[in-house]
Amino acid sequence: MDKYQISRESLVTVTLVIEGILLLVSAIWVLTSGFDLRSSFHLNLRFTMYGIGAGLVTVLVGFALLAISTKMQSVKPIADVRAVVLNDLAPMFAQLTLTDIVLISISSSFCEEVFYRGMLQNILDIPRASLIFGAMHCPSLAMIPYAFITFLAGAFLGWLYQFTGSLFPPIFAHFLNNLLVMLFFKYRKTAK
């Protein structure tokens, strides 16, 4: 197992525990602050389409950056992000079962959007909430370039929440992004 690799069971367990903690903190904040987060949970067809569209955009941009990074490996930050994605994240996702992928996609999209957009963004602002979102996706210094990409994704999701006033579009976008990216790395063919 590589230096950042953990077992499938540990990955799923740690992810679900972290997501549960984020949701618990959000619930405590809502109960103690009097903030009405219920007003951020309105859904209609337009918001659903915004979320699906935004999710597809983030996936396509991510895959385009990965493809472009093949030709730009001499640029250190680009090479660093590519290395993290291919050497650290892809092997972790490849070991997951389809059930694991769906469970992680649902829990991370809902719990993280409630916490980072619904709670932190309402307390702070988009840039600071996104900075914390990026930092929390950086378990080691080697993953700083990846954390920057996650910061940008967080800012995009924050803007989507601010634009619609609903948490559902960023939840749907986050879910679709996580689902499709993990499925891609699970089922992609790698050179032997």
Side-chain angles (χ1 to χ4, degrees), residues 9-25 103-104 107 111:
E9 295 83 6
S10 296
L11 177 60
V12 173
T13 301
V14 167
T15 300
L16 294 178
V17 167
I18 290 170
E19 302 308 341
I21 290 169
L22 292 178
L23 194 58
L24 179 63
V25 168
L103 188 60
I104 289 171
S107 64
C111 298

Side-chain angles (χ1 to χ4, degrees), residues 24-103:
L24 179 63
V25 168
S26 299
I28 291 169
W29 174 71
V30 165
L31 292 172
T32 59
S33 71
F35 179 74
D36 184 10
L37 194 58
R38 291 175 299 178
S39 64
S40 295
F41 284 100
H42 47 280
L43 181 61
N44 58 41
L45 181 59
R46 184 171 43 114
F47 290 167
T48 302
M49 298 311 293
Y50 284 161
I52 292 169
L56 292 174
V57 165
T58 60
V59 169
L60 291 174
V61 167
F63 288 156
L65 290 173
L66 188 59
I68 291 168
S69 72
T70 303
K71 295 177 178 27
M72 299 182 66
Q73 291 187 47
S74 61
V75 180
K76 183 158 175 34
I78 293 172
D80 290 347
V81 171
R82 181 179 174 77
V84 165
V85 169
L86 295 178
N87 300 331
D88 300 326
L89 298 177
M92 281 194 297
F93 298 154
Q95 69 179 331
L96 296 173
T97 67
L98 184 57
T99 301
D100 297 337
I101 290 170
V102 171
L103 188 60

Side-chain angles (χ1 to χ4, degrees), residues 130-141:
S130 301
L131 185 63
I132 295 168
F133 180 70
M136 294 307 292
H137 286 79
C138 186
S140 73
L141 292 177

Side-chain angles (χ1 to χ4, degrees), residues 120-177:
L120 280 187
Q121 187 170 313
N122 280 305
I123 295 171
L124 305 172
D125 54 23
I126 292 174
R128 290 186 285 178
S130 301
L131 185 63
I132 295 168
F133 180 70
M136 294 307 292
H137 286 79
C138 186
S140 73
L141 292 177
M143 294 186 86
I144 288 175
Y146 174 75
F148 177 72
I149 300 294
T150 308
F151 160 77
L152 294 176
F156 177 64
L157 294 171
W159 170 83
L160 186 59
Y161 172 51
Q162 184 175 352
F163 175 72
T164 62
S166 173
L167 282 170
F168 280 116
I171 289 170
F172 292 157
H174 196 150
F175 169 79
L176 197 56
N177 179 77

